Amino acid sequence: MTPLDKPLKRELIVGRQSYTLTIDPDGLKLVEKGKRKGLELSWKDLLSGDAGLAAALQASVAP
């Protein structure tokens, strides 16, 4: 298995909107293409089951 030691970026399209997904040793980040802020999820939150709570909290404080 190849270790994840540096960020891996991929573009994905949901509907008609393009997003950049970054996977790194700390977790995941999904950002609308051309923007800087997006949803972040750490591996720790994902594994502990707090992923839904973390996503809801980020959405509640988003501008």
Side-chain angles (χ1 to χ4, degrees):
M1 198 63 64
T2 303
L4 183 62
D5 56 357
K6 59 184 179 180
L8 175 66
K9 289 188 177 187
R10 294 293 183 261
E11 179 182 350
L12 73 127
I13 299 173
V14 178
R16 293 184 175 190
Q17 188 61 47
S18 295
Y19 294 89
T20 301
L21 173 65
T22 305
I23 303 172
D24 64 25
D26 297 324
L28 308 167
K29 185 172 183 180
L30 185 63
V31 180
E32 188 176 335
K33 192 143 186 188
K35 305 284 182 169
R36 290 182 179 222
K37 293 187 178 183
L39 297 173
E40 291 187 48
L41 182 60
S42 72
W43 296 120
K44 183 179 175 183
D45 289 341
L46 184 64
L47 292 173
S48 70
D50 292 335
L53 181 61
L57 181 60
Q58 280 191 358
S60 71
V61 296

